[in-house]
Amino acid sequence: MKLDPDGFIGTLLAIEGILDARAVMNGPTGCRGNPAYFSDRHFPRENSLNRRSFEEPFFFGQSRIPCTYLDSDDYILGSAGKLREILPLIAEKGDSFLAIVNSPGASLIGDDLNRFLVEANLDSICMAFEGAAYSYPLATGFDMAMVSILRWLKLNKFPKVKNRVNLLGFSINQKFWKGNVAELKKLCELMGLYVVCVPGAGSGIAEIRESTTASCNIVVYPEYSTKTAEYLESEYDIPAVIPAGGAPVGFTQTEEWISAVADATGRDPNPALEYLKEQRVHAFHQISRYHHEAGYPKGATFSIRGDSSFVLPLTRWLFEYLSMLPVSVEFAEGQDPEMTGKLTEFLKTHEIPALGADPSIVQPDFYFGDSLTGKDLELSGKCRKTIELYNRTTSDIYFTEKAYLGGTGALWILEEIFQTVKDFSE
């Protein structure tokens, strides 16, 4: 059973991932509940805990993604009345950027959203998505929406600054996205690079406008940013750097990622590599300490399902660094062909028949993927431990910023694995 959100949700999350932006849904309330809660939970802004600030019509007590709550009459007569009513209320919130997104059903009505924006004098800060990427994967919808936003903003062509870069491909849909962004920013800073913008993952409109000063775009997850990178290169002459091994997962791939970024920008990689070496040494000492006390995960099986640019480096690292065995490898929809090809070749080289295997049949020790599938496997006795990669559920409470990228992320993954192996033996 696949539970992946589609490109419509990807469009909403691309907008909601901008610090001072707000998505407005033109559609029924049933389409709005989950993404509105999700956005507020995983990227809270303003006074979102003060529900009395959002008692007006269209908000229904939730701070994110107000909705026109279309009913059967609106589908016959049109949504003009509710759009004219909602737009002034939304404008009062003071966001720098607004985007009206038609739900799948609302897109069939045929209302001219841009005309309503002009009538409300909001066409300077609000754009319309009259049709979102409904039949596309979430990552593709996110990417397409980001290109539309950049095109609508009409960014200025600023002079390039050699030590400035953008990080592309992050989304608030990804687990620990804030910690992951912070980790890669730190690696860049150690190489003397300044990260101007992370579009769709915490940066504001001012930072997006300033993104054209970057000398290059570092593509972390190509599934979420291939079209964005192509647009910025064709329109603003900002070349893209796509590390061949995927996202910086585990020590080896993080080293390769640092070297690829340093080569592309002409920076010295040694300070970042030294920082990573310290984390690698720390991991060695901890593994040596707990090897005799709690066992070692050698031979433990794992199943993984996620973005191809993450699945590739994680599978390789767990197999080569910890001698864990992949028994099920699946890609989330919208995979990058180059990444999937490399992992397919890797599994073939090692004669591992894991590609496409059903985790409920192979019953792994570890499941890396979304928590809904993982909990189903755990509760049915077909998996021993889930390590979540997506913000699909919200049962866990965190007070510190965690990461699963870079050296810090490698330590977190090791901690999860070794603690679980310890629990296996009890």
Side-chain angles (χ1 to χ4, degrees):
M1 180 174 62
K2 300 296 187 295
L3 302 169
D4 295 345
D6 63 4
F8 173 58
I9 301 298
T11 299
L12 293 173
L13 296 186
I15 301 162
E16 288 291 299
I18 299 172
L19 178 64
D20 48 356
R22 186 187 302 274
V24 182
M25 184 185 295
N26 184 36
T29 54
C31 293
R32 180 246 184 178
N34 181 266
Y37 176 79
F38 185 99
S39 175
D40 181 49
R41 178 76 180 196
H42 297 296
F43 189 20
R45 282 139 293 179
E46 61 209 8
N47 57 341
S48 60
L49 294 180
N50 182 6
R51 298 304 180 196
R52 297 192 65 180
S53 299
F54 302 96
E55 290 181 344
E56 310 99 309
F58 310 108
F59 279 94
F60 305 100
Q62 288 182 295
S63 64
R64 306 305 306 177
I65 314 184
C67 173
T68 54
Y69 65 94
L70 301 183
D71 54 29
S72 57
D73 289 342
D74 298 315
Y75 282 97
I76 298 171
L77 302 176
S79 57
K82 287 180 177 175
L83 284 169
R84 291 192 179 97
E85 191 176 349
I86 192 175
L87 289 173
L89 293 175
I90 303 303
E92 290 176 0
K93 297 299 180 183
D95 300 287
S96 300
F97 174 75
L98 301 170
I100 300 180
V101 183
N102 268 337
S103 69
S107 66
L108 300 176
I109 298 175
D111 283 327
D112 186 350
L113 299 184
N114 287 300
R115 177 168 63 86
F116 297 127
L117 296 179
V118 172
E119 291 177 355
N121 294 319
L122 290 176
D123 53 313
S124 62
I125 65 166
C126 185
M127 70 174 293
F129 285 87
E130 295 187 334
Y134 305 122
S135 59
Y136 289 88
L138 180 143
T140 307
F142 179 97
D143 196 10
M144 293 169 64
M146 192 54 59
V147 172
S148 296
I149 292 169
L150 294 175
R151 183 177 289 114
W152 186 89
L153 288 173
K154 298 178 181 177
L155 307 178
N156 292 321
K157 293 186 178 181
F158 292 117
K160 304 293 184 293
V161 181
K162 287 185 178 180
N163 70 330
R164 289 187 161 213
V165 297
N166 301 314
L167 295 177
L168 304 185
F170 279 107
S171 164
I172 63 175
N173 182 57
Q174 297 153 357
K175 190 78 171 177
F176 304 147
W177 66 272
K178 285 185 179 180
N180 289 327
V181 169
E183 178 70 5
L184 296 200
K185 280 186 174 181
K186 182 176 180 65
L187 293 177
C188 288
E189 288 168 1
L190 288 170
M191 289 185 277
L193 295 170
Y194 172 72
V195 176
V196 182
C197 181
V198 189
S203 293
I205 292 298
E207 292 167 300
I208 292 176
R209 292 189 181 280
E210 194 180 351
S211 66
T212 56
T213 63
S215 61
C216 71
N217 291 313
I218 303 172
V219 178
V220 182
Y221 294 102
E223 299 90 342
Y224 291 79
S225 57
T226 296
K227 290 180 173 59
T228 303
E230 291 173 351
Y231 173 76
L232 289 170
E233 184 162 8
S234 64
E235 294 293 323
Y236 300 97
D237 300 319
I238 307 175
V241 179
I242 308 177
V249 181
F251 298 121
T252 301
Q253 175 52 25
T254 300
E255 285 181 351
E256 295 176 3
W257 190 90
I258 291 171
S259 297
V261 172
D263 288 344
T265 58
R267 313 302 294 187
D268 180 9
N270 288 314
L273 291 174
E274 185 61 32
Y275 168 70
L276 182 65
K277 181 181 177 180
E278 293 174 0
Q279 294 170 311
R280 186 192 282 268
V281 170
H282 177 67
F284 171 78
H285 287 305
Q286 291 299 93
I287 290 173
S288 300
R289 180 188 305 275
Y290 292 113
H291 172 67
H292 299 292
E293 297 180 16
Y296 191 83
K298 180 179 181 178
T301 60
F302 68 93
S303 173
I304 181 169
R305 184 172 190 274
D307 296 315
S308 54
S309 56
F310 183 88
V311 172
L312 169 63
L314 181 59
T315 301
R316 292 180 59 182
W317 185 58
L318 295 180
F319 180 77
E320 295 172 346
Y321 186 75
L322 295 177
S323 298
M324 295 175 65
L325 180 65
V327 293
S328 170
V329 175
E330 298 179 287
F331 303 113
E333 295 180 348
Q335 63 263 34
D336 179 76
E338 186 173 346
M339 300 296 170
T340 57
K342 289 180 179 179
L343 184 54
T344 300
E345 184 62 29
F346 174 82
L347 296 173
K348 182 180 179 181
T349 300
H350 293 282
E351 299 181 348
I352 301 174
L355 196 62
D358 187 340
S360 65
I361 295 177
V362 296
Q363 300 187 16
D365 293 313
F366 293 86
Y367 176 78
F368 293 84
D370 72 275
S371 61
L372 297 180
T373 302
K375 289 301 179 184
D376 179 59
L377 291 170
E378 284 187 38
L379 293 174
S380 59
K382 298 175 180 178
C383 169
R384 303 176 77 176
K385 171 68 175 180
T386 297
I387 297 181
E388 188 177 346
L389 305 179
Y390 300 101
N391 284 323
R392 297 297 299 279
T393 62
T394 56
S395 57
D396 295 333
I397 298 174
Y398 302 105
F399 285 85
T400 58
E401 290 294 349
K402 303 178 188 295
Y404 53 60
L405 296 184
T408 300
L411 294 176
W412 176 78
I413 293 172
L414 290 172
E415 182 178 291
E416 290 287 302
I417 290 173
F418 274 81
Q419 181 60 48
T420 300
V421 171
K422 175 179 178 293
D423 294 340
F424 285 172
S425 61
E426 292 181 351

